[in-house]
Amino acid sequence: MKKIVLLMFLFCTYYTQAQISKNFKETPLEEVLNELSKTHKLLFSFSNEIVKNIKVTLDIDNSSLDEILVHLKALTNLEFKKISERQVIISYPNNKVEICGYLFDNITNEPLPFASVFLETKKTGTITNEKGFFQLGDISLDEKISIQYIGYTNKTINASFFKMSTCPRIPLLSKTTSLNEVLIVEYITKGIDKNIDGSFTITNKELGILPGHSEPDVLQSIQLVPGIHSPDESASGIQIRGGSPDQNLILWDDIKMYNTGHFFGMISVFNPNIIKDAKIFKGGADPKYGDRISGIIDISSDRKVPEKLNGGVGINGTHADMFLKIPVTNTIGIVLSGRRSYTDFLETPTYTALSKKVFQNTKIIEVLNPLPLEMDDDDDDEILEKIGKNNFFFYDASAKLILDVTKNDKVMVSSIYTNNDLTFEINDDEDVITDDLEIKNEGISFSWKGTKKNHFHHSLKAYYSRYNSDYLFTERQELIIENQSVRKNTVKDIGVDLNITYDFNSKNFLTFGYQYSDNDVFYTITKESEFETPINESNTINNKTNSIYTNYKIILENKSFINIGLRTSHYSIINKLYLEPRVNIEYPLTKSLRVKATGELRHQPISQLVEFEETQLRLENNLWVYTNNKIPILESTQFSGGLLFSENDWNFEIDGYYKNINGLTSITNGFNVINSDLSIGESMIYGIDILLKKRFKDFRTWLGYTFNDIEYTFPEIQETPFPGNNDITHNFRTSNSYTFKNWELSIGWLWRSGAPFTDADLVNEEILYKNTNTGRLPAYHRLDVSTIYRFNIKGWKGSLGVSIQNIYNRKVPLSVSYRLDDNSNNGEIELNKLQQKSIGITPNAFFRISF
């Protein structure tokens, strides 16, 4: 009976509620809720602030409670959540986001302290701290955030932007340098950004972890960009869109660098701890960059006077380093750095792996490689006794003086010194064989930049650079020299650059500039032997270059970009004037999609000769030479065009390009055709670069692909065209990185087509080459991993990490050459096929601490 009464009561209650009819017109929400509380026996929980000043118009005509709540949510934009049959909680919807971030200068990447950050509707906000950091708390998604900083363009950002990234880095544009706006922050990975002029900026301090590298290396980092790679796995052997390494213009604080690698190119000569940033052009370079026909790598060290004393030390598997940043006064600062390898007294697994790579096919590797298993300890000791000395080490040092002369004028003096030194000696019962190789590059630069009357910007730069390579091979028997080879190469380069830029307004910029350089190039090759005719070749060339350039740049509100320039150069060595028109255009089709195109004509009077003189060491056989009556000037015509899409942390870019290079020679491109006559030819390069990148909070993944078709035409070598030496048709790279608290992890895989090579036979004790570059080496691939842990203890910042290149130890030939050798058993001449193989498994570890 009780159950029947209860059911009847519930039925009547529901029937009564269902039959309720009520009309509300512009009625305060609080009054509506009170009415519903009585009629539906409900308890509404809310704060007076939430329902204040909200009025609703609502018809309740036999509507259920759920229907009523849905209508109220739509009318008020509030959340009505039933937590029981009798209680409803009213709250704001979950449309808020945490607002925080870091402001920085888009050119110098310096933090911007004391900038104003506020809500446009409420005019309340905060200022950034010394690190450029700000925080506003939870803000409605439909709010607008306004950012203001003296001397910079105001910026307004929707609060919804912060939902895509936690505390993002936000660049601000200087009103006088707004042209160099960063278009896409974290274009590939953290610290690699895309500029509006099509170039890339690598900010070393912000650079994220790279697969296979425990510490940042600017020349290794740029190889993540499609169209840039190093076929020989080195840091200095960079090829950009089919151009050879010597065709790249590489600057360190405006100093032209002629040697960029330690340990025969495996490590860059630039200390990463003082690098501020590097700007890289694959094409469409500003006309102020001259004398090279391929890519531009413009590296700069710190440009700001240090606010306080700071520095650091570190050690890894090949070398140790240190740096200091010293504030002398508020307007004067000094930056010092140095690195030195310890490989001359300690051989680590990293050094052993790199040594096997760079010394292969030389007598040195015979000592570094493990001895055959059948040898006993006595044999081991006997061989080791023959080695009198085996020393290899490298070091570099740099110093920079920074002066803020006035608020608008900055003066900087920078210097760099790099050295590679190898001494290798074998001493047996009869002969003493010695190899001695030293490679140095030193330079100094002066820079004065300033602004006058807010519209005129002047720049005066001067530099001196000297490169020296000195190799000596000696074979002695009882103190009598039986064989001796000498190879020397020296480049002296001094230059100045003066330019003035006028800002018509914030969108139009006109630049005029003049450059002068004076270069001396010297090389000598000598060979003396008791049984052969002595060889003595020497050459010294001087060239003076006078260049005038002008540039007109336009940047519009929609971020469209037009750059039209002209460079005119006169080279005294050939007494001829060359014109180099250049154009670079980018235009946004939509907010997320841009179309771009470049075109340029460029010339290069200096290049590297590939010298095939037989030496015992067979390393660093490239010599810098100038255009002369045998070697013509290089001329490159380049065009490119593509699309760029960027939205919601997705980046997609496709770029097609064409490059025609005239003036190539067989001795500057190295066809392994020993003692052949000089041949002059050209190359035709077609390519496509594709990049796809996505960021998911702390996880980043990117895919890069390059297609290259490089065709050489050298009529004196072969009647028909043939693949170029660097014709790596397909190049694919995928990399992934993940950040978790203080840990950074990275894994990457690289695959590319094999390079072409020329096969050969032995005929009448001479090398007979077959058709040029008709063979193709096996495909190359490797898997790399890295991990870094960062910590902070009482103001001391530290990091330690481990990396492994080629984790599955796959080794394939990257290039092939040939050498005639005497058979020690029968005295007959043999043809040795020398395969330069890829690097094996290479572990590395580092520890760093800074203050």
Side-chain angles (χ1 to χ4, degrees), residues 70-82:
V70 169
H71 286 305
L72 287 175
K73 180 178 180 179
L75 291 171
T76 63
N77 245 354
L78 298 176
E79 290 287 342
F80 291 78
K81 185 177 181 181
K82 289 175 64 178

Side-chain angles (χ1 to χ4, degrees), residues 293-335:
I293 61 172
S294 193
I296 309 297
I297 304 174
D298 191 352
I299 306 171
S300 298
S301 60
D302 284 272
R303 295 182 289 265
K304 184 179 179 182
V305 175
E307 295 181 358
K308 60 181 181 178
L309 177 66
N310 64 95
V313 294
I315 188 170
N316 61 24
T318 57
H319 61 271
D321 68 85
M322 59 76 63
F323 72 94
L324 279 175
K325 299 179 182 180
I326 307 167
V328 179
T329 68
N330 291 335
T331 59
I332 302 175
I334 298 175
V335 180

Side-chain angles (χ1 to χ4, degrees), residues 224-294:
L224 294 176
V225 180
I228 304 177
H229 71 285
S230 177
D232 62 0
E233 304 176 302
S234 69
S236 61
I238 291 175
Q239 301 189 359
I240 300 179
R241 289 185 169 176
S244 58
D246 63 317
Q247 295 170 2
N248 299 322
L249 176 63
I250 301 180
L251 302 173
W252 166 265
D253 282 347
D254 303 313
I255 303 170
K256 286 185 182 179
M257 299 298 295
Y258 291 88
N259 177 62
T260 58
H262 284 316
F263 208 161
F264 306 102
M266 300 305 295
I267 303 168
S268 78
V269 298
F270 308 113
N271 190 333
N273 301 293
I274 59 168
I275 291 179
K276 186 60 184 175
D277 52 47
K279 193 170 186 178
I280 297 95
F281 287 90
K282 294 193 292 183
D286 192 289
K288 70 179 180 180
Y289 297 111
D291 295 341
R292 297 294 189 274
I293 61 172
S294 193

